[in-house]
Amino acid sequence: MIWLKSLVLIVFKVEMVHSKRLNVQKFHLEGTPRKVLYHSESKLLIVMRTEPNSDACSEICGVDPLSGSVMASFKLGPGETGKCMELVRAGNEQVLVVGTSLSSGPAIMPSGEAESTKGRLIVLCIEHVQHSDSGSMTFSSMAGSSSQRNSPFREIVGHATEQLSSSSICSSPDDTSCDGVKLEETEAWQFRPAYTTTWPGMVLAICPYLGRYFLASAGNAFYVCAFPNDNPQRVRRFAIARTRFMITSLTAYFTRIAVGDCRDGILFYSYNE
């Protein structure tokens, strides 16, 4: 279980050993976490965070859940705000699909209709990379460019623990009795931009659908999308539906799609292939 608090990422772990215990770790981030996902292949927490004293989401980073180290990062464009992100299947791999806003103004009119704004849909591949001989690492930032920074494994963002029992397992990231696996310093990951496009509206919701599609909203419209030939460098829109009010949430159960809007309305759809 993960709880978001201003400037702090708090990770809870329930252990079923003799009795129920809740272990707590706090990671102090340089920014406010807005959303957290877990990527099982890299064993990283994918965190969307904002700059301090700002509502603009400046960065998506991969955090080691045991040490708090930032293992990879991807910066959004100037003035661009991250709104949502989901892990979506593209063939045999999982990619990170991110929705953003390119406007600093309000997203919704007083009437509940969507403002005339724009947003971006970004697809990031989460890739394993190797250290160079110089000990530095290349990380992707914006599409088509990269930046050099020192190895992030020496940069501990912050770590603190709280024990709820004196015999709590995994009371520190260096505790060898912990059943988790601490990421080795020889491991490295990066976010590689594979696809980006600008849509007419803020992208506020993304949801996997039927294993091979994903849903994404922009303003008062949502799309059924997929990766042709399982290629994350291409996104095809198969269908579109529009609502009266701004779409704020999407979820799916088998073929049924539930769409939530800013007026607390819920609309149900299904997609016929």
Side-chain angles (χ1 to χ4, degrees):
M1 181 170 59
I2 299 169
W3 179 37
L4 300 182
K5 186 179 180 182
S6 179
L7 302 181
V8 178
L9 177 66
I10 303 177
V11 180
F12 297 89
K13 180 181 179 183
V14 179
E15 296 177 346
M16 303 297 292
V17 181
H18 303 299
S19 62
K20 296 180 181 179
R21 287 181 293 188
L22 187 65
N23 294 309
V24 182
Q25 288 180 285
K26 289 183 180 180
F27 303 138
H28 293 269
L29 302 177
E30 295 179 356
T32 302
R34 296 300 185 187
K35 184 163 185 177
V36 179
L37 301 172
Y38 179 72
H39 185 244
S40 57
E41 181 181 352
S42 64
K43 299 182 176 66
L44 293 178
L45 296 176
I46 310 300
V47 182
M48 178 181 285
R49 66 181 181 181
T50 64
E51 294 178 339
N53 304 318
S54 172
D55 289 333
C57 184
S58 61
E59 191 172 29
I60 295 167
C61 55
V63 178
D64 180 355
L66 297 180
S67 69
S69 302
V70 175
M71 315 297 278
S73 66
F74 177 86
K75 289 187 178 295
L76 299 176
E80 187 174 19
T81 306
K83 293 296 185 180
C84 58
M85 63 179 182
E86 286 292 342
L87 290 166
V88 176
R89 183 66 59 181
N92 295 325
E93 67 174 320
Q94 276 188 321
V95 296
L96 185 67
V97 182
V98 181
T100 76
S101 168
L102 296 173
S103 173
S104 59
I108 306 171
M109 296 181 182
S111 63
E113 297 175 301
E115 286 279 5
S116 179
T117 57
K118 292 185 178 181
R120 278 206 305 166
L121 186 79
I122 305 170
V123 178
L124 301 176
C125 293
I126 306 172
E127 296 181 335
H128 186 270
V129 294
Q130 299 295 328
H131 278 287
S132 65
D133 294 337
S134 62
S136 63
M137 187 65 59
T138 301
F139 284 86
S140 299
S141 55
M142 298 305 295
S145 66
S146 62
S147 60
Q148 292 284 338
R149 62 171 63 180
N150 291 331
S151 172
F153 311 109
R154 301 188 184 95
E155 175 196 353
I156 304 299
V157 175
H159 173 263
T161 60
E162 293 181 7
Q163 288 182 257
L164 301 187
S165 66
S166 59
S167 60
S168 176
I169 300 176
C170 198
S171 58
S172 75
D174 297 317
D175 191 345
T176 57
S177 65
C178 177
D179 61 357
V181 179
K182 189 175 180 180
L183 294 177
E184 297 293 336
E185 292 194 355
T186 55
E187 292 190 42
W189 297 84
Q190 71 172 1
F191 296 115
R192 178 179 62 82
Y195 175 87
T196 180
T197 186
T198 301
W199 280 1
M202 296 184 183
V203 183
L204 295 184
I206 297 170
C207 174
Y209 184 57
L210 295 179
R212 58 189 178 277
Y213 300 101
F214 67 91
L215 310 173
S217 74
N220 67 331
F222 76 92
Y223 306 88
V224 178
C225 305
F227 301 108
N229 300 318
D230 297 330
N231 181 4
Q233 295 182 336
R234 295 180 58 200
V235 172
R236 180 181 174 187
R237 293 185 292 187
F238 286 85
I240 180 176
R242 298 185 184 276
T243 65
R244 178 181 177 184
F245 300 118
M246 182 79 170
I247 296 173
T248 56
S249 63
L250 291 168
T251 190
Y253 182 73
F254 290 108
T255 60
R256 182 64 62 91
I257 301 169
V259 179
D261 63 34
C262 64
R263 289 297 181 90
D264 297 327
I266 300 177
L267 304 173
F268 294 96
Y269 296 83
S270 61
Y271 172 61
N272 297 320
E273 298 181 272

